[in-house]
Amino acid sequence: MEAIGLLMHGFAVLLTWKTLLLMMTGLVLGIFVGVLPGLGGPNGVAILLPLTFTMDPTSAIVMLSCIYWGALFGGAITSILFNIPGEAWSVATTFDGYPMAQQGRAAEALTAAFTSSFIGSLVAVMLITFLAPMISSFALKFGPPEFFAVYLLTFCSFVGLGREAKHKTVISMSLGLLLAGIGMDTVSGQLRMTFGSAELLRGVNFLVAVIGLFGISEILLTMEERLALRGHAAGISLRVVLSVWKDLPKYWVTLFRSSFIGCWLGITPGGAIAASFMGYNLAKRFSKDQDSFGKGRIEGVFAPETAAHASGTAALLPMLALGIPGSGTAAILLGGLMVWGLNPGPLLFVEHKDFVWGLIASMYLGNVVGLVLVLTTVPIFASILRVPFAAVAPMIVVSCAIGAFAIQNAMFDIWLMLGFGVVGYVFKKIGIPLAPFTLALVLGNRAEDAFRLSMIGSGGDLKVFWSNGLVGSITTLAIVLLFWPVIDRAFSGVSRMLRPAKA
Amino acid sequence: MSNTDIEIVVEDPTAPEANSPQVVSVRVVDVVVSLLLLALAITLGLDNWRAGAGWESTGPQPGYFPFYLSIILGGASLYGLVAAFLSRTEATETFVTRAQLRRVMAVFVPTVLFCLATQYLGLYVASFLLISGFMRLVGKIALWKSLLTAFIFTAAMFVTFDVAFDVIMPKGPLEAALGR
């Protein structure tokens, strides 16, 4: 009940003309970013971050989170109309969305995608409203060992549960953690890994890295492929919207299941990609008519979109409550909070109530406004794709450079961005995942501080990570998740050995 | 009412040909990247060893945490090196074809030149040159359209960042001549 009162206070903070205008601007920019090839949620947020530097933290985070919602909505437009998934999590949406467009049901598919995005996000935001304050008040009891154990759990679950080759995830994560350590050591004041370079004294700003890794590398990758597009134009009428909405109760099981999967994979770092595929596959598996999937079935749009958006939104829960982002974009938003001197984590709910509840209220409002906006403006945004890529690509490069420079007013950062662009291009092509790198880069210093404080407290005894039930369970869970593929294989082997014995 | 009979078609006159020869395989790049990462791990490991990777009375020395991370990075890179050598799929997989490389360079080289120009001419002049040049030379778009688009975009960026949001960008001789 207390949460509802605080949420109402959040709405009161939010409902000013200035904030509402910023919200609309953020949503429009976000949809734009989602539709444009070569851009997406994480880089869109990172590139547009400098726009918010002169704002107060609440206005800034409202605008940034609305860019995020807008990008999530925008991705569905290209998936359905052009069979081009703007984001990896939109791939599953193309399976049935594009066939629907080919059958002349583009408006129906788009309405289904936007509505299910809204439902998925709404469920996750409700979860954040009621769960985040509880988790954060619980986390207030955490000491350095508990925090390090939670960081370890995040890192280990990325390695153990990720789809990529394990050694590649380890490379990505350790590289991110190492780069986070460049510059002045916060405890001793000694320089580390700077090799005499004055520019490296500041360290590697993770936003610069993100802009290069996601923005520049995506331009290089997009440029590599054929840029010819052939797709469907679509306008959505009120009649189509109402007819899709009228049928929604029929799909409540799919929507509920996908929301649950999305929230689960968002809070744990499973991610929106895994959520969307799992949502789609389960909808297919439990369907009485499995063969109709992939041929233009509306449930095939509802399931992945609900799961992906629930996941994308739920990833903000650990960021707000514990200061640990559940996704790459959440990591960038977390970086944004740090730029304004806010320290994400349990204390945020105590020290900056206006900010936190304003942000949560903006998630509700941003989703409602976003839904109305996309339903009414699809033809305009779809026509953005008529703009030749040769015009879009250099504009994105310039925006990336502006973003990279503005963070620390350093020319060196523009060069660094370019370097990370090449690294991102090569890493993506050889299968080294970038999300663990981003996460490690943003959490590196905090993880190291928590580790050092734990070790100082225990006199160097690693048993501190099993010193009580809470920290012991988290550390043990982390190790189990790290070795999960081995454990899973061992269980499968044992069950295979037992099966013929039973027969 | 949906309007699906209207199609949006964007042709790409510079599309890479499908049968372009391979420049390098995924395996070769994977091996090179693993070797580079291994070298980086050794370099960073040595630097952290120098900074102090042990213990002192106040706790772990500055290089302690990154030193062990360097070892993890080195180990994973070594594993990656062996895995890349043994992988049969990577050997046959194409990393980039000649046509693709040409296109990647068509955007990478102008980006490098843009960074250089930003350093000496300022960001706004550099962005005008990049956008107009790229649209005209790579996209084969009409000169007037290229110049107009570049001017409008650059002006919009200037008004947004320098005027409205007070975010100062790198300036060059043109801005100095105009008193900014």
Side-chain angles (χ1 to χ4, degrees), chain A residues 74-223:
Chain A
I77 298 176
T78 49
S79 300
I80 291 168
L81 297 182
F82 295 89
N83 205 20
I84 300 169
E87 301 278 358
W89 66 66
S90 304
V91 172
T93 310
T94 62
F95 297 163
D96 282 272
Y98 188 64
M100 281 179 80
Q102 284 178 311
Q103 293 158 15
R105 295 159 61 207
E108 203 186 321
L110 286 167
T111 308
F114 298 148
T115 309
S116 46
S117 309
F118 172 76
I119 293 169
S121 296
L122 189 70
V123 172
V125 178
M126 283 164 70
L127 192 78
I128 292 174
T129 310
F130 296 104
L131 212 58
M134 281 159 64
I135 295 174
S136 70
S137 63
F138 177 62
L140 281 173
K141 298 178 190 125
F142 280 19
E146 283 80 7
F147 268 111
F148 181 74
V150 174
Y151 292 129
L152 190 69
L153 179 67
T154 312
F155 296 140
C156 290
S157 50
F158 254 109
V159 178
L161 305 179
R163 291 173 305 138
E164 294 84 1
K166 304 300 167 209
H167 72 278
K168 292 190 173 174
T169 309
V170 172
I171 286 175
S172 173
M173 203 165 273
S174 47
L175 196 60
L177 286 167
L178 275 166
L179 290 185
I182 289 178
M184 195 181 283
D185 172 29
T186 46
V187 177
S188 65
Q190 195 173 325
L191 295 179
R192 302 185 301 190
M193 298 177 277
T194 55
F195 303 99
S197 158
E199 299 285 2
L200 285 175
L201 284 178
R202 280 193 308 268
V204 175
N205 187 291
F206 96 98
L207 286 166
V208 175
V210 163
I211 293 172
L213 287 172
F214 291 92
I216 299 292
S217 75
E218 203 57 47
I219 290 290
L220 298 175
L221 279 169
T222 311
M223 189 69 189

Side-chain angles (χ1 to χ4, degrees), chain A residues 51 54 168 188 190 192-193 223 225-231 233 237 385 390 395 405 411 415 429 456 460, chain B residues 1-4 6-8 10 12 15 30 47 51 55 58 62 65-66 95 103 107 115 119 134 149 165 168:
Chain A
L51 279 181
T54 50
K168 292 190 173 174
S188 65
Q190 195 173 325
R192 302 185 301 190
M193 298 177 277
M223 189 69 189
E225 299 305 324
R226 190 180 166 81
L227 299 171
L229 297 171
R230 183 171 285 274
S237 70
L385 288 162
M395 289 183 199
F405 180 85
M411 186 62 215
W415 289 108
K429 293 203 80 174
I456 290 167
Chain B
M1 180 96 197
S2 70
N3 203 9
T4 48
I6 301 169
E7 276 202 325
I8 293 179
V10 178
D12 180 8
D30 208 351
D47 189 68
W55 276 78
T58 52
F65 197 68
F95 180 81
R103 285 171 66 87
V107 71
C115 292
Q119 200 156 352
F134 196 88
T149 311
F165 288 92
I168 307 302

Side-chain angles (χ1 to χ4, degrees), chain B residues 97-134:
Chain B
T97 65
R98 195 179 296 162
Q100 286 175 332
L101 185 65
R102 207 178 301 132
R103 285 171 66 87
V104 171
M105 283 299 141
V107 71
F108 181 70
V109 173
T111 304
V112 174
L113 294 174
F114 161 74
C115 292
L116 267 175
T118 301
Q119 200 156 352
Y120 298 105
L121 303 176
L123 186 119
Y124 297 112
V125 174
S127 70
F128 175 82
L129 293 174
L130 175 73
I131 296 166
S132 56
F134 196 88

Side-chain angles (χ1 to χ4, degrees), chain B:
Chain B
M1 180 96 197
S2 70
N3 203 9
T4 48
D5 50 329
I6 301 169
E7 276 202 325
I8 293 179
V9 180
V10 178
E11 292 300 339
D12 180 8
T14 58
E17 57 267 34
N19 56 353
S20 176
Q22 171 184 296
V23 175
V24 63
S25 71
V26 171
R27 175 149 82 181
V28 172
V29 178
D30 208 351
V31 167
V32 172
V33 169
S34 297
L35 283 171
L36 286 173
L37 287 169
L38 191 61
L40 182 73
I42 293 168
T43 314
L44 295 181
L46 287 173
D47 189 68
N48 285 306
W49 182 260
R50 184 198 52 76
W55 276 78
E56 54 193 8
S57 55
T58 52
Q61 287 178 316
Y64 182 87
F65 197 68
F67 175 73
Y68 285 99
L69 283 169
S70 307
I71 291 179
I72 295 172
L73 177 65
S77 310
L78 211 55
Y79 181 91
L81 193 66
V82 177
F85 268 118
L86 296 178
S87 168
R88 282 189 193 160
T89 49
E90 283 196 359
T92 52
E93 238 175 299
T94 302
F95 180 81
V96 70
T97 65
R98 195 179 296 162
Q100 286 175 332
L101 185 65
R102 207 178 301 132
R103 285 171 66 87
V104 171
M105 283 299 141
V107 71
F108 181 70
V109 173
T111 304
V112 174
L113 294 174
F114 161 74
C115 292
L116 267 175
T118 301
Q119 200 156 352
Y120 298 105
L121 303 176
L123 186 119
Y124 297 112
V125 174
S127 70
F128 175 82
L129 293 174
L130 175 73
I131 296 166
S132 56
F134 196 88
M135 284 177 73
R136 180 74 199 117
L137 301 173
V138 180
K140 314 271 183 245
I141 296 167
L143 183 65
W144 72 269
K145 278 187 195 171
S146 306
L147 291 173
L148 187 66
T149 311
F151 180 75
I152 292 172
F153 182 80
T154 309
M157 287 290 117
F158 178 76
V159 171
T160 310
F161 287 97
D162 256 74
V163 180
F165 288 92
D166 220 11
V167 184
I168 307 302
M169 289 293 137
K171 304 277 171 47
L174 180 71
E175 287 90 349
L178 294 171
R180 295 285 307 191

Side-chain angles (χ1 to χ4, degrees), chain A residues 2 6 127-128 130 203 243 295 304 388 435 472 481:
Chain A
E2 195 201 353
L6 289 163
L127 192 78
I128 292 174
F130 296 104
S243 96
K295 293 174 186 162
L481 284 181

Side-chain angles (χ1 to χ4, degrees), chain A residues 213-428:
Chain A
L213 287 172
F214 291 92
I216 299 292
S217 75
E218 203 57 47
I219 290 290
L220 298 175
L221 279 169
T222 311
M223 189 69 189
E224 195 180 80
E225 299 305 324
R226 190 180 166 81
L227 299 171
L229 297 171
R230 183 171 285 274
H232 301 271
I236 300 176
S237 70
L238 188 64
R239 194 180 57 77
V240 175
V241 173
L242 292 177
S243 96
V244 171
W245 286 1
K246 197 177 76 189
D247 287 342
L248 272 180
K250 273 200 261 176
Y251 303 106
W252 75 271
V253 178
T254 305
L255 294 169
F256 178 78
R257 185 176 48 227
S258 288
S259 301
F260 178 79
I261 292 165
C263 289
W264 177 256
L265 289 175
I267 296 170
T268 60
I273 304 166
S276 64
F277 278 102
M278 200 186 277
Y280 184 86
N281 288 338
L282 287 181
K284 190 176 172 183
R285 187 179 293 174
F286 288 112
S287 169
K288 285 177 189 152
D289 183 15
Q290 293 189 8
D291 291 341
S292 64
F293 274 81
K295 293 174 186 162
R297 195 176 160 122
I298 198 164
E299 230 176 321
V301 176
F302 278 135
E305 282 289 314
T306 311
H309 290 244
S311 169
T313 311
L316 300 178
L317 196 156
M319 181 198 94
L320 282 174
L322 299 170
I324 298 167
S327 70
T329 317
I332 297 160
L333 286 176
L334 186 140
L337 298 188
M338 290 170 165
V339 169
W340 302 298
L342 296 171
N343 209 4
L347 278 175
L348 205 61
F349 279 82
V350 181
E351 291 171 351
H352 300 281
K353 274 189 180 165
D354 278 6
F355 169 79
V356 172
W357 290 101
L359 170 63
I360 296 176
S362 85
M363 294 181 186
Y364 285 98
L365 213 56
N367 267 306
V368 176
V369 179
L371 179 67
V372 176
L373 199 71
V374 280
L375 284 173
T376 49
T377 55
V378 160
I380 302 168
F381 284 108
S383 65
I384 289 169
L385 288 162
R386 289 179 204 266
V387 180
F389 189 69
V392 175
M395 289 183 199
I396 297 176
V397 170
V398 172
S399 309
C400 288
I402 289 175
F405 180 85
I407 295 159
Q408 300 183 107
N409 280 342
M411 186 62 215
F412 177 71
D413 284 349
I414 294 185
W415 289 108
L416 207 55
M417 168 202 81
L418 189 64
F420 276 113
V422 177
V423 170
Y425 169 77
V426 175
F427 275 18
K428 276 180 189 170

